[in-house]
């Protein structure tokens, strides 16, 4: 099933939504302006709050246990209801993995049009429940309301040892940046919606979006990880910029080394780029240094605009971005290769400097 199957009565789930998946996120600029208005909460047990734009909140309940709390939901990103449920759940569970934790309890969040066949909703929820089960967590209830645009997601509670929390800051000079899924879901989904994607791309994007970040996190946990986040709506550069700013780090991204989905450059060249990519580009622009990057050359396969589109493409249920000390990165990569990941793991760059100044991202061609 490629996720693009029309429903029995000819309805396509994605036709309900202007933006699907994490591309429907409110932009980072708007979001930070809104969050500024909220009062600061402080509690000695609150280990991670919303101030650092991390993936989830973490609250210590005992010396050896902290609770991770997160929630994520969005509009349909694929037409097949069961697949949509799987993608939304994998995406919501990912924020617990991105904090280094194990998801334990999940609640459904549902908005669904009253006039649509309830069996469609049943399939969405079944897809989500199957992912919760695969994650080793339990689904215990939820909340549903009627709305014109279907939306689905989860609120997830997880657990982590307070000393083993992955934060989105703390990367250090010399760290290697490893991304555990190939990039391109926003662009490929746009191509699928325009009915211009190849079968191969359509299959790949669904495999990537439905894959849990569980294996990535469980493997990473055997090594020293200085910082971690999952790459979702703000794109690789958006999430890198959060990591760079929060760590006072200068990060180098080797654009040619990043693993991309099949066909994604061609689709971007055809202009099949979600609006969120431009919003993300605008957001990261002040931090960006393209230096002597000659991205117009033949060997790069396209103009620099296309590379920026790919790097800023909003990802739905993207991979973990891990900052790992250089001396451990080789072994981690070897283990990823040995256990056989469903997705492509790539080294996307490294941390040049850390601990002082504003975040900076340098885009370079190769090593
Ligand atoms: Co996240
Ligand atoms: Co999230």
């Amino acid at each position: 099933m490629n996720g693009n199957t029309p429903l029995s009565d000819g309805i396509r789930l994605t036709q309900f939504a202007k933006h699907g998946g994490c591309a429907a996120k409110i932009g980072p600029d708007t979001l930070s302006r809104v969050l500024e208005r909220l009062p600061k909460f402080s509690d000695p047990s609150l280990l991670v709050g919303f101030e650092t734009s991390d993936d989830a909140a973490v609250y210590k309940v005992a010396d050896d246990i902290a609770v991770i709390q997160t929630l994520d939901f969005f509009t349909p990103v694929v037409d097949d209801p069961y697949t949509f449920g799987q993608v939304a759940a994998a995406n919501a569970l990912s924020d617990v993995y991105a904090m280094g934790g194990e998801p334990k309890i999940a609640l459904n969040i549902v908005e669904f049009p009253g006039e649509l066949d309830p069996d469609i909703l049943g399939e969405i929820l079944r897809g989500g429940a199957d992912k919760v089960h695969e994650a080793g967590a339990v689904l215990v209830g939820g909340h549903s309301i009627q709305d014109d645009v279907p939306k689905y997601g989860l609120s997830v509670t997880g657990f982590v040892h307070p000393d083993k929390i992955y934060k989105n800051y703390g990367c250090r000079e010399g760290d290697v940046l490893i991304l555990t899924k190939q990039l391109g879901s926003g662009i490929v989904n746009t191509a699928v919606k325009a009915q211009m994607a190849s079968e191969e791309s359509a299959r790949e994007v669904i495999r990537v979006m439905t894959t849990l970040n569980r294996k990535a996190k469980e493997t990473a946990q055997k090594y020293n990880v200085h910082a971690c986040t999952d790459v979702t709506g703000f794109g690789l550069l958006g999430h890198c910029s959060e990591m760079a700013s929060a760590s006072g780090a200068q990060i180098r991204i080797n654009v040619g080394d990043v693993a991309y989905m099949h066909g994604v450059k061609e689709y971007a060249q055809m202009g099949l780029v979600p609006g969120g990519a431009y919003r993300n580009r605008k957001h990261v622009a002040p931090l960006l240094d393209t230096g002597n990057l000659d991205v117009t050359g033949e060997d790069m396969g396209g103009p620099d605009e296309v590379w920026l589109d790919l790097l800023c493409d909003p990802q739905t249920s993207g991979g973990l971005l891990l900052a790992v000390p250089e001396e451990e990165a080789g072994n981690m990569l070897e283990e990823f290769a040995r256990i056989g990941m469903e997705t492509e793991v790539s080294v996307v760059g490294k941390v040049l400097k850390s601990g002082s100044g504003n975040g900076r991202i340098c885009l370079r061609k190769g090593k």
Side-chain angles (χ1 to χ4, degrees):
M1 188 173 305
N2 70 9
N4 197 28
T5 335
L7 304 170
S8 49
D9 42 3
I11 293 167
R12 287 177 184 276
L13 263 190
T14 54
Q15 85 190 14
F16 287 91
K18 217 167 113 202
H19 311 286
C22 288
K25 257 193 181 184
I26 289 179
D29 292 322
T30 311
L31 200 57
S32 60
R33 215 169 72 207
V34 171
L35 292 178
E36 268 170 23
R37 304 168 73 109
L38 297 189
K40 298 261 177 282
F41 289 88
S42 74
D43 180 321
S45 297
L46 182 64
L47 305 178
V48 181
F50 64 79
E51 289 82 4
T52 49
S53 309
D54 219 318
D55 299 292
V58 187
Y59 193 92
K60 187 172 163 179
V61 290
D63 284 343
D64 58 350
I65 194 152
V67 172
I68 301 173
Q69 189 72 58
T70 183
L71 101 89
D72 241 306
F73 67 101
F74 49 56
T75 47
V77 62
V78 290
D79 288 314
D80 179 60
Y82 179 80
T83 309
F84 170 47
Q86 286 185 305
V87 172
N91 180 71
L93 290 157
S94 173
D95 280 326
V96 173
Y97 295 127
M99 300 309 289
E102 221 179 297
K104 280 293 166 199
I105 307 163
L107 291 164
N108 283 325
I109 303 156
V110 176
E111 292 180 33
F112 198 72
E115 66 277 13
L116 266 191
D117 181 354
D119 284 347
I120 297 171
L121 179 57
E123 280 300 284
I124 295 173
L125 299 187
R126 193 172 66 87
D130 281 354
K131 280 291 150 182
V132 171
H133 187 257
E134 187 188 328
V138 287
L139 189 70
V140 296
H143 186 73
S144 51
I145 62 166
Q146 289 192 29
D147 191 71
D148 293 345
V149 182
K151 298 175 196 82
Y152 173 64
L154 298 174
S155 172
V156 188
T157 303
F159 297 113
V160 66
H161 191 287
D163 300 335
K164 294 185 177 141
I165 301 166
Y166 288 172
K167 296 180 181 140
N168 65 352
Y169 60 90
C171 61
R172 297 178 212 167
E173 188 171 327
D175 282 356
V176 173
L177 294 173
I178 296 171
L179 178 66
T180 65
K181 288 185 181 182
Q182 59 269 53
L183 278 191
S185 58
I187 291 168
V188 174
N189 285 327
T190 304
V192 169
K193 208 172 166 180
Q195 302 188 331
M196 293 177 88
S198 67
E199 270 292 313
E200 188 187 21
S201 298
R203 266 198 309 271
E204 182 181 17
V205 73
I206 284 175
R207 181 167 36 87
V208 170
M209 293 189 298
T210 54
T211 298
L212 290 179
N213 279 329
R214 180 183 190 170
K215 221 153 127 184
K217 177 236 140 187
E218 286 176 354
T219 304
Q221 249 175 348
K222 299 180 189 166
Y223 304 87
N224 192 0
V225 172
H226 287 158
C228 172
T229 189
D230 57 347
V231 174
T232 55
F234 302 155
L236 177 64
L237 290 191
H239 292 281
C240 271
S241 79
E242 286 181 341
M243 190 179 275
S245 305
S247 316
Q250 193 178 333
I251 283 174
R252 169 180 167 144
I253 299 294
N254 299 323
V255 293
D257 292 352
V258 181
Y260 301 99
M261 292 181 193
H262 289 97
V264 75
K265 287 167 210 159
E266 289 74 22
Y267 303 142
Q269 263 156 352
M270 290 157 77
L272 297 165
V273 178
Y278 299 104
R279 192 190 58 200
N280 290 341
R281 271 176 64 170
K282 217 177 118 204
H283 180 68
V284 300
L287 269 71
L288 222 52
D289 157 24
T290 48
N292 58 358
L293 180 69
D294 174 21
V295 282
T296 52
E298 277 290 295
D299 53 329
M300 296 301 288
D304 55 352
E305 289 298 306
V306 166
W307 291 93
L308 285 170
D309 288 345
L310 301 190
L311 298 171
C312 294
D313 179 39
Q315 302 301 287
T316 296
S317 186
L320 297 183
L321 176 69
L322 299 151
V324 183
E326 191 164 24
E327 60 276 16
E328 300 206 29
N331 288 337
M332 191 194 281
L333 289 165
E334 230 166 71
E335 182 159 352
F336 276 133
R338 195 171 58 242
I339 61 172
M341 295 284 283
E342 289 81 8
T343 55
E344 246 180 278
V345 178
S346 62
V347 172
V348 298
K350 73 186 288 179
V351 179
L352 301 178
K353 268 190 214 149
S354 68
S356 67
N358 298 328
R360 193 135 190 81
I361 301 173
C362 316
L363 297 185
R364 296 294 183 266
K365 200 188 259 182
K367 301 255 180 301

